[in-house]
Every structure is written in C-alpha cells, then in structure tokens.
C-alpha cells in the first residue's frame, strides 16, 4: 500500500501565499504519490480565542481552499479535525508522553504566549501533543509543512519513539517534507519575520483571495534592500531574495533564469513582473474557491466522506493504543 501523507492548516483568517507556497502547493504537487489525509485543524485554532461564527465559516473556507489549490477529492480525503474525536483522545495521551521541558522549548508556543501574555491557554501549551496525535493516529509516513512546523514534527518523532519503547511498537515515526526554497516566505514589510496571518499590517502578506489591484499595491510597497540589482543573496539581501522566491514559485523559473531575465533592470520592472505573476498564479485558485464556496452541498459531501474514512482508521488505532497502555477493561 502507498505511504500515508498527513497535513493540516488552522482555520484562522484567510490563507496567504506563504501558506500556499510553503504547504498547500506542495500538497497538490505530491498528492498522487501517496494516500493523503488533509485535515482542517479547528481544535488547534481554538488554542487562541476565536469567534464561533467566524470559526465555522473559516472551517468551510479552509476546506474549500484545499480543493481550490488542486487537491483531488476523488483520491485524497479532506476532513475536519473536531469531527473525529480520536484526535482529542490521543492528544490527551500524547500530553502524558511529552515532558514539560520539551513543550516549553517550542518556538511557536514562546511566540504566541508572549503575544497573548495575559491569557495564555493550557491548550496553547499542549498544542504540539495534539499535533502529534493528528499525525500518529494514521501511521503517517510523510508530513508536508513549512519550516516553522519542523520543530513540532521533531517532537512528534520523539513522542512516537518514546511511546514505542515504553509500550511496544505502535506508531510509525513520520518524516517531514519541506520545499527546497520557499519553506519560509517572509513578510513583505519585514523580511526578518515570516509572512503571517496574524501580522498587524495586512500589507505584510498577500492573501490568496486578494484582488489584482490589492496585489499590485502590496508588491509595489514591499520593502527592498539597499542594492539595485535582481540577484539572489539570501544572507545579505533577504528582501529581494524573498521576492525572488515568490517569483520562482509563481513562474517555475530558476533563480539563475530570474537573474538573467532582470539583468540590467531595476526593482520597478521586477516588481511589476512579480505582481503579474502572482495574479496569474492566484487567478485559477480564486475562481475555484468561489465555485466551491457557492456549492456547499458538494463540500458537505466531500467532508462527510473524509470524516468517515478518517474515523474508521482512527478508531482502529485507538483500540490498539488503549490496549497497549492498559486503559479501559
Ligand atoms: P498555519 O497557518 O500556521 O496553520 O500554517 C499552515 C501551513 O503553512 C504550515 O505547514 C506552515 O508551516 C505553513 N506556513 C505558514 N506560514 C508560512 C510562511 N510564511 N512560509 C512558508 N510556509 C508557511
Ligand atoms: N500546527 C500546524 C500549523 O500551525 C497545523 C497542524 C496541526 C498540522 N496538526 C497538524 C500540520 C498535523 C501537519 C500535520 O501549521
């Protein structure tokens, strides 16, 4: 049987091109090589406060986005995390396998708890235990994510091995799958910070739903480095390197080809071409997104089917886990 691929995105706000380039584009590219489960991780979203009505809308929009980027629902299963209760169940168990010190070291926890200093939830802390459960429930072998999730994945591997050594071989130890370039798209306004949905300024990111005019404006305002040439030098010229990375993904051109294309030209020409390329890249996604958003019956059918498939596998795994641990009778 083909290896299992699992990944997920939190249904918070709208997806940006960092999510697309770092994660979803990769899902679409490799889906045919694996059996795939793509999850809308709503239980992770509630580790910071969410408005219920907005959350429910975001769950459906995120699932629609998976389809819009090209996930084929006839081959892959798409489902909502909270609809398969085994995620919570194994998440609790994983929180008993992880150590305080290990979870305290997680960068995402440190960043987010600093932002929500007044009311950091216990769930924000144990978030990686739930993520480990998502992955381990399905004997996942590969997990395509952006670079910011590598640390969580490494912890997942540690928890899987620890469980296996305490209770006997139970979980497959998964591998990350990361883009060679573009695993970490940076903010347009600040190339030292990753592009993020929770950025204070919307000009920091391009949403996959942004209109052409908005995309043009955001790219024209994107910060650049002190040089003038279009040359890839991630260390010394991170701003232009970031824009070139986006261009590379939008056009499929290599860095060398891009440098050649813009030899003797300046930032103005490059930004114009970049805006056009991003608009072109997002156009089919935006069209499909609207189609799926306007056909909730089709989306419901796909999510029901995904839930049933995930449920069956998750139930079988939990039975084994409980037996090994001596839980229940
Ligand atoms: P999140 O929005 O945190 O649920 O992230 C969803 C997916 O997008 C994960 O695989 C992240 O690693 C990836 N991701 C988020 N931000 C970026 C970014 N700026 N660059 C590349 N990948 C990203
Ligand atoms: N923590 C991931 C993020 O913020 C989302 C996520 C939850 C995930 N469970 C997962 C990603 C399992 C891959 C596999 O991006």
């Amino acid at each position: 049987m083909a290896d299992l691929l699992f990944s997920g995105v939190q249904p918070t706000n709208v997806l940006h091109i960092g999510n697309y380039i770092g994660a979803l584009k990769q899902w679409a590219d490799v889906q045919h090589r694996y059996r795939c489960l793509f999850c809308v991780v709503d239980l992770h979203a509630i580790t910071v406060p969410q408005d219920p009505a907005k959350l429910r809308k975001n769950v459906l929009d995120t699932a629609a986005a998976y389809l819009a980027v090209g996930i084929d629902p006839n081959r892959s299963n798409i489902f909502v995390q909270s609809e398969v209760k085994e995620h919570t169940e194994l998440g609790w168990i994983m929180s008993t396998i992880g150590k305080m010190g290990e979870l305290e070291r997680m960068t995402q926890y440190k960043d987010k708890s600093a932002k929500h200093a007044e009311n950091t939830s216990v769930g924000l802390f144990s978030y990686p235990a739930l993520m480990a459960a998502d992955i381990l429930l399905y004997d996942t072998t590969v997990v395509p994510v952006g670079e910011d999730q590598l640390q969580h994945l490494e912890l997942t591997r540690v928890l899987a091995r620890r469980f296996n050594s305490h209770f006997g071989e139970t979980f497959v130890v998964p591998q990350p799958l990361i883009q060679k370039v573009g695993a970490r798209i940076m903010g347009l306004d600040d190339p030292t910070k990753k592009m993020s949905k929770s950025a204070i300024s919307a000009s920091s990111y391009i949403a996959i739903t942004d209109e052409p005019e908005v995309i043009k404006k955001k790219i024209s305002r994107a910060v650049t480095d002190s040089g003038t040439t279009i040359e890839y030098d991630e260390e010394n010229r991170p701003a232009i390197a970031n824009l070139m990375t986006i261009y590379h993904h939008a056009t499929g051109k290599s860095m060398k080809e891009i440098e050649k294309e813009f030899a003797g030209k300046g930032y103005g020409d490059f930004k114009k071409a970049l805006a056009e390329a991003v608009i072109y890249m997002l156009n089919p996604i935006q069209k499909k997104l609207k189609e799926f958003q306007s056909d909730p019956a089709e989306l419901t059918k796909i999510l029901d089917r995904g839930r049933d498939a995930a449920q069956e596998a998750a139930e079988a795994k939990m039975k084994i886990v409980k037996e090994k641990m001596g839980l229940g009778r």
Side-chain angles (χ1 to χ4, degrees):
M1 228 185 339
D3 281 1
L4 193 114
L5 177 151
F6 186 101
S7 198
V9 169
Q10 302 185 62
T12 48
N13 304 322
V14 70
L15 297 175
H16 55 67
I17 58 169
N19 298 127
Y20 176 61
I21 292 172
L24 281 85
K25 181 168 182 269
Q26 210 184 186
W27 302 1
D29 289 344
V30 301
Q31 62 179 325
H32 298 291
R33 286 196 249 145
Y34 301 96
R35 290 178 293 131
C36 299
L37 279 174
F38 296 111
C39 186
V40 178
V41 293
D42 54 351
L43 293 169
H44 279 106
I46 59 168
T47 55
V48 299
Q50 301 292 338
D51 173 77
K54 275 196 203 137
L55 178 61
R56 180 144 303 138
K57 180 176 183 305
N58 279 332
V59 165
L60 294 175
D61 285 351
T62 303
Y66 291 5
L67 295 163
V69 303
I71 299 304
D72 176 357
N74 294 315
R75 290 189 51 102
S76 299
N77 284 304
I78 300 176
F79 74 105
V80 181
Q81 186 188 32
S82 65
E83 294 181 0
V84 179
K85 62 184 185 327
E86 284 76 9
H87 286 253
T88 322
E89 204 174 358
L90 187 59
W92 170 257
I93 289 173
M94 284 299 138
S95 79
T96 69
I97 307 295
K99 314 267 185 240
M100 289 295 286
E102 287 169 336
L103 281 111
E104 271 163 357
R105 278 200 292 279
M106 296 292 116
T107 310
Q108 181 175 303
Y109 167 70
K110 287 195 265 185
D111 288 352
K112 286 198 183 178
S113 60
K115 256 189 217 159
H116 300 264
E118 239 83 301
N119 57 354
T120 301
S121 70
V122 175
L124 190 64
F125 181 72
S126 52
Y127 178 116
L130 179 61
M131 178 160 162
D134 297 342
I135 296 167
L136 299 179
L137 260 181
Y138 300 101
D139 292 339
T140 302
T141 50
V142 24
V143 186
V145 282
E147 197 179 81
D148 62 325
Q149 295 303 313
L150 273 183
Q151 202 185 22
H152 288 158
L153 211 68
E154 195 41 55
L155 180 64
T156 300
R157 290 161 57 82
V158 168
L159 298 181
R161 286 202 205 95
R162 185 174 301 148
F163 189 101
N164 288 347
S165 77
H166 286 184
F167 300 105
E169 211 51 41
T170 308
F171 295 121
V172 172
V173 181
Q175 300 278 353
L177 186 68
I178 298 268
Q179 296 275 27
K180 284 197 189 73
V181 269
R184 190 175 172 83
I185 299 293
M186 310 310 282
L188 297 179
D189 58 344
D190 181 355
T192 65
K193 293 207 175 82
K194 71 165 183 162
M195 186 175 281
S196 157
K197 294 182 265 202
S198 52
I200 297 164
S201 157
S203 63
S204 162
Y205 61 85
I206 294 174
I208 62 166
T209 51
D210 275 348
E211 300 283 341
E213 283 318 306
V214 177
I215 294 172
K216 283 183 192 160
K217 205 179 279 168
K218 286 183 180 175
I219 289 180
S220 75
R221 286 186 190 154
V223 301
T224 45
D225 312 289
S226 55
T228 53
T229 53
I230 311 304
E231 282 170 309
Y232 190 77
D233 179 353
E234 205 182 339
E235 198 150 306
N236 298 308
R237 300 180 59 199
I240 201 73
N242 186 44
L243 297 182
M244 287 174 80
T245 300
I246 298 171
Y247 193 68
H248 159 73
H249 278 281
T251 60
K253 291 177 186 164
S254 71
M255 292 304 173
K256 282 272 162 285
E257 286 170 322
I258 299 170
E259 286 175 353
K260 223 161 134 193
E261 183 179 355
F262 294 98
K265 296 185 182 161
Y267 288 155
D269 289 323
F270 174 63
K271 281 184 163 183
K272 226 177 257 161
L274 175 62
E276 288 307 325
V278 170
I279 292 166
Y280 187 76
M281 169 177 83
L282 293 180
N283 181 276
I285 298 175
Q286 296 182 346
K287 271 199 193 132
K288 276 210 209 151
L289 191 57
K290 281 192 189 127
E291 267 169 47
F292 282 110
Q293 283 170 331
S294 65
D295 191 356
E298 179 62 17
L299 196 55
T300 301
K301 222 165 60 191
I302 291 168
L303 291 175
D304 283 353
R305 197 174 349 120
R307 176 202 57 213
D308 292 347
Q311 180 77 61
E312 198 184 317
E315 253 174 51
K317 193 73 182 182
M318 270 318 292
K319 225 173 132 187
I320 296 170
V321 170
K322 285 179 156 173
E323 191 158 317
K324 296 225 174 178
M325 295 185 85
L327 291 166
R329 288 176 292 159

